[in-house]
Amino acid sequence: MSERPVAMFAMTAENVPRIFPPGVLARLRDLVDIDPALVAEDFTRPAVREALARTEILISGWGCPPLDAAVLEAAPKLRAVLHAAGSVKGFVTPAVWERGLVVSSAAGANALPVAEYTLAMILLAGKDVLTHRDRLRAERAFPHQGVLLGIGNFGRRVGVIGASRTGRRLIELLRPFDLRVGLADPYVDEAGAAALGVTLLPLDALLGGSDVVSVHAPQTAETRHLIGRRELALMPDGSVLVNTARGSLVDHDALVEELRPGRLGAILDVTEPEPLPAHSPLYDLPNAFVTPHLAGSQGNELARLGLVVVGEAERLAAGRVPEFPVDERELGRMA
């Protein structure tokens, strides 16, 4: 067997055992020479700098420091960065691409629980579960006799904003249900939408014709407040906005204006800022359901990210290219 390449973790130290529990770590250590006790939270530490000079593969995660030109100069043998999380925007600098390093990300695996959360919320919104849970809790009696009108998921119109990794995975998960799914994405053409099995719509038409709108666009300067006062006004009475992408994509002040009179509903797993200020009305409005950024990988789902990295390390060891490479050109539009 050939000598194992030297690797090093670069993330918040507490995340190493979470993403690489014993079984996953053992598989990784069969492939690379790595010390789980040495974690680069700061590339200026002497022990880290010394190890960096020998490192061929960097296994990054949440909390990875920036890989700038100075760091890369101290790592002459570095050839690949395997990211055990989602976006690499926060730490991959232009120097990484100039150096020609291989970059891989477990973003696709992290997108799965986000899509699952979103699917659950779409179906619950169709039944208006949260409103009726609160009424039952308050009145201690059924608020209806027999059939409850005005709810249901048969033929409900779902609008997906952004064919990102999460958006595409959500579209897959929605297929078994009797829903009509539309997509708004400037990078997708009619043929691409047909391949996904959805109807391609301009953003305004999607907003105006959907019972539930789910946001999956990337966070860029152009998408800040993508859903603002004008866009929210286009949504039909009683429709619901779901945001599991980034809080900055929605204008929260404008959203509150639509929520106060009860015209719309909102399910927000991401906000701006995070967490919301203690005085935010979004905590108390009955038609706003806010969760603490938990849609992404949590608990036992973190091991899935580690397994992606193990798979990528196996491919590198076999002389193959990564299955989940990151393309610099796609960073601005993939989420």
Side-chain angles (χ1 to χ4, degrees), residues 85-108:
S87 175
V88 302
K89 293 179 187 178
F91 69 96
V92 167
T93 70
V96 171
W97 307 115
E98 292 168 8
R99 171 86 164 259
L101 296 181
V102 170
V103 180
S104 169
S105 170

Side-chain angles (χ1 to χ4, degrees), residues 228-243:
R229 184 168 285 103
R230 187 189 74 83
E231 290 75 23
L232 291 166
L234 295 173
M235 294 179 62
D237 291 355
S239 58
V240 177
L241 177 72
V242 181
N243 187 13

